[in-house]
C-alpha cells in the first residue's frame, strides 16, 4: 500500500506483526501435535500456556496492523507470554516440533520486547 | 460449575472476566453508533481506540476464563487501553451512549487494574 | 442503549449473542477441565472441537453485536459446530461438567439455527 | 513441520489459511485508511462489512490451521462475507488501496469456496 497513507504502521511494526502471526500459527498447529503425543506434551498447564500464546500473539499482531499507538502494551504482554511458552517448549526440544515452536516463540518474544521498549 | 474443579478460576477472576466481556460488547455496539453519528464520533483515532478496546477486553476475559496464571499481564494492558478509551468517550459524554461506554470502560479498567496488581 | 440508535441490533440478535457468549465461556472453562481429566476427555479431536466451538461462538456473537446483516451465515456455521460439540460432550454426560457444557452447546445451536433460517 | 504429524492439515488447507490471513491483514489496514478518507469510504455499513471480513477470515484461517474437519462450514461463511466485501471495495477501485483490498477479498473468497465445496 502507498506508504504515505499508512505512515502510522511503520515497517518495524509490520515485521513484528508478521512475527506474531507466525508464532500464532506455529502454536496453533503445535497444540494439536501435543494433544496427539500425550504425556508431558499434553500437560494441562502446557496446553493452556500455548492457548494463551496463540491469543495474545494475534492481539499483538492486530494492534500493530491497525497502527495503534497502544501497541507497546500488548507487545509487552506478548513478549512475556512468548518467553514462558518458549521455555516450556524448549524443555521438550528433543522433539523437533517443540524445538520449532520454541524457536518461533523466542523470535516473537524478542521482536515484541523491542516494540514494547 | 463445581468449585473444586476450577479452583484456578477464582470468583474474582470470573467477575473481572465478565466486566471485560461487558466492555467488549458495549464498545462493539458503540463503534457502530459512532460511525453513524459521524464528526468527532467517527474520528479515526477514536474508532481505532475502541477497536483496540474490543479486542484486548476479549483477550483479557479469556485469559481469566482459562484460569491462566499470566492474566495479570493481559489485565495490565487491558486496564491501560480501557482507561484511554474511557477518557475519549467521556469527552463526548453529552451523548448518553458515549457516557454509557465511558462508564463501562472505567469499571473494566478498575477491575483489571486490581487483577494486574 | 436507546433503541432507535441500534435498531439494527434486534432483541432477538442480542439474546442469541448472549447465548453464544455463554457457550464460548463454558467451552473455554470445560477445555481445561477435560485436559485435567485426561483419557477420553482429553482426546485430541474432542479438544479441537471444543476450541472450534469457543471461536465460532465468539465470532457469531460479535457479528450480531455489530448488527451485521451477514449474521445468518456465521450463525449457520455456529449452529453446526455447537451441535457437534453438544453430541461429543453428551457422550460423557455422566460427568456433570460435560452435561453442563452439552446443555449450553445445545441451547446455542438452537438459538443460532433460528437466526440462520 | 514433519508431514506425518499434521497429515490432517493438508497443503491446500494451509494455503487457504494463508490467503485468509492475508485478507484479514489487508482489511484491518484498509479500515483505518477508509476512516481517514471519510465520505463513502467511511460509510458505517462499509466499515462494518470490513470488520466482519477481518473476523471471519481469522476464524476460517484458524479452523484450517487446527486441522478441523468442520472447516468447510467456516470457509462457506468466509467466502460469502469476502465476496460482499470485494464488491463493496471494488465500487471504490479508483482508489488503489480499495482495489488492493477488493483483489485480496476476491482471492480469499475463491479459495474458501473451493474448501467449502
Amino acid at each position: 500500500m502507498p506508504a504515505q497513507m499508512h505512515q502510522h504502521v511503520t515497517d518495524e511494526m509490520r515485521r513484528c506483526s508478521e512475527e506474531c502471526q507466525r508464532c500464532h500459527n506455529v502454536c496453533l498447529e503445535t497444540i494439536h501435535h501435543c494433544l496427539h503425543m500425550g504425556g508431558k506434551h499434553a500437560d494441562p498447564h502446557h496446553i493452556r500456556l500455548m492457548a494463551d500464546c496463540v491469543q495474545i500473539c494475534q492481539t499483538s499482531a492486530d494492534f500493530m496492523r491497525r497502527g495503534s499507538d497502544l501497541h507497546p502494551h500488548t507487545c509487552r504482554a506478548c513478549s512475556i507470554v512468548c518467553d514462558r511458552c518458549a521455555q516450556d517448549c524448549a524443555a521438550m526440544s528433543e522433539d523437533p516440533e517443540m524445538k520449532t515452536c520454541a524457536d518461533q516463540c523466542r523470535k516473537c518474544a524478542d521482536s515484541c520486547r523491542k516494540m514494547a521498549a
Side-chain angles (χ1 to χ4, degrees), chain A:
Chain A
M1 294 178 204
Q4 78 284 3
M5 286 180 162
H6 290 298
Q7 75 279 27
H8 57 283
V9 185
T10 64
D11 285 348
E12 203 184 9
M13 284 162 81
R14 199 171 279 113
R15 271 195 302 272
C16 186
S17 180
E18 285 163 6
E19 213 63 86
C20 289
Q21 277 190 314
R22 269 192 287 274
C23 196
H24 167 91
N25 289 341
V26 171
C27 286
L28 205 48
E29 292 205 34
T30 306
I31 284 176
H32 202 63
H33 166 68
C34 286
L35 293 169
H36 273 286
M37 295 294 283
K40 65 182 175 177
H41 278 79
D43 176 87
H45 295 99
H46 178 60
I47 300 294
R48 184 172 69 193
L49 176 54
M50 295 194 70
D52 284 350
C53 199
V54 164
Q55 190 172 27
I56 190 65
C57 280
Q58 189 63 47
T59 297
S60 175
D62 288 354
F63 266 64
M64 287 183 278
R65 194 64 68 172
R66 270 193 293 274
S68 171
D69 59 319
L70 293 166
H71 73 272
H73 303 289
T74 42
C75 281
R76 183 168 303 118
C78 192
S79 70
I80 294 168
V81 175
C82 285
D83 266 333
R84 281 275 293 273
C85 197
Q87 278 175 30
D88 252 43
C89 291
M92 296 179 257
S93 61
E94 71 285 356
D95 171 351
E97 292 216 37
M98 301 316 291
K99 169 111 179 47
T100 298
C101 195
D103 288 349
Q104 181 56 43
C105 288
R106 190 72 69 201
K107 281 179 71 177
C108 186
D110 288 345
S111 179
C112 280
R113 197 163 16 249
K114 277 175 208 147
M115 301 306 288

